[in-house]
Amino acid sequence: MRKFVIMGIQGSGKGTQAKLLADDLDLEHISVGEIFRWNVQHHTKLGAQVRRTVATGRLVGDDVVEAVVRQRLTDHDWNYGFIIDGFPRSARQAEFFLESYDIDGVINLELPDEEVQRRVLARRLCTQCGLDYNLIASRPQVPDVCDVCGGRLAAREDDNPEALAVRVAEYHEQTKPLIEIFQRKEFVASVDATAPVLEVQTAIRTHFELPPRSPGP
Ligand SMILES: [Zn+2]
């Protein structure tokens, strides 16, 4: 059984790396963000609570996040282990989590702030069909026009340099104490996330002596 925590700022490819690892090693990928989105889409009580909080521009409270994660982990469909993303968020949660779940390691994807800016500010969204584009990695054929529906592409409202700078600062403030706690237990793999996706994946596996990715079909 393998249990990992993955940490990384927006644009670091955290979701992609978690999925690559989870799919291949049969780990359950537990993403707090995805759990919240599912609840919002399905109009659950939790979804309504999340929606209200986000509408006021605040983060969902630690207690709510903790309750959601506890619930998700008691479902226990993770026979081979899990990789969790979006938790823990506070020093207290980190201590509790490490004691309760015997975590194998913490993957910390490192991306310089300038690169975060470059990647996130290159994101575009079709205003008509919602398809994602990225002016670095997946450009539309015609500038500012959706390949699929011809709709106009636009940046998300909160993907502007000022709002992003605030999010980057918040991220560092929130994660620094967590990384310090994890480092005391000496099992943090800090990986350079500027490298190509598969190289980052290989670096993670090498660090934890995991088997290399099985070749595709
Ligand atoms: Zn479109």
Side-chain angles (χ1 to χ4, degrees):
M1 172 119 40
R2 297 175 170 120
K3 285 167 270 178
F4 295 101
V5 173
I6 189 164
M7 302 179 68
I9 197 163
Q10 277 190 299
S12 65
K14 183 176 55 162
T16 305
Q17 295 299 337
K19 274 198 183 69
L20 280 172
L21 203 62
D23 287 351
D24 197 45
L25 298 175
D26 281 328
L27 308 180
E28 197 60 30
H29 177 203
I30 300 174
S31 160
V32 173
E34 274 174 26
I35 295 172
F36 283 172
R37 273 193 292 280
W38 187 91
N39 279 279
V40 169
Q41 278 164 3
H42 292 82
H43 304 281
T44 65
K45 215 167 156 187
L46 172 66
Q49 196 178 354
V50 170
R51 198 195 286 261
R52 272 198 307 275
T53 310
V54 173
T56 61
R58 283 176 299 136
L59 282 171
V60 178
D62 281 353
D63 48 339
V64 176
V65 176
E66 191 169 330
V68 164
V69 170
R70 272 180 202 263
Q71 178 57 47
R72 182 65 187 75
L73 288 170
T74 52
D75 289 348
H76 222 301
D77 52 357
W78 38 280
N79 296 327
Y80 298 98
F82 59 75
I83 177 162
I84 191 163
D85 156 358
F87 187 87
R89 303 205 311 186
S90 68
R92 189 183 56 76
Q93 285 175 354
E95 303 273 15
F96 153 79
F97 199 56
L98 293 180
E99 278 163 26
S100 313
Y101 287 100
D102 190 21
I103 300 300
D104 292 77
V106 176
I107 300 156
N108 181 32
L109 298 176
E110 292 187 314
L111 198 64
D113 291 353
E114 315 82 69
E115 183 63 11
V116 175
Q117 290 268 351
R118 197 178 79 90
R119 290 187 181 187
V120 173
L121 297 180
R123 298 200 295 210
R124 294 292 182 275
L125 199 65
C126 175
T127 52
Q128 214 157 271
C129 75
L131 197 66
D132 280 310
Y133 290 85
N134 185 297
L135 303 183
I136 303 166
S138 53
R139 291 170 168 279
Q141 283 173 340
V142 179
D144 300 327
V145 177
C146 178
D147 293 344
V148 175
C149 75
R152 191 176 56 84
L153 303 186
R156 288 160 209 263
E157 213 175 302
D158 58 349
D159 281 355
N160 62 71
E162 297 74 28
L164 184 58
V166 172
R167 298 208 297 278
V168 168
E170 279 173 354
Y171 178 83
H172 290 308
E173 199 182 314
Q174 190 184 40
T175 52
K176 200 165 166 254
L178 299 181
I179 304 276
E180 280 165 6
I181 289 169
F182 294 142
Q183 269 164 346
R184 276 208 302 275
K185 319 263 179 184
E186 290 179 51
F187 53 18
V188 176
S190 288
V191 175
D192 174 12
T194 60
V197 169
L198 294 180
E199 277 178 36
V200 174
Q201 181 70 197
T202 302
I204 293 169
R205 288 172 188 244
T206 305
H207 191 282
F208 291 112
E209 298 178 349
L210 295 167
R213 265 177 87 237
S214 51

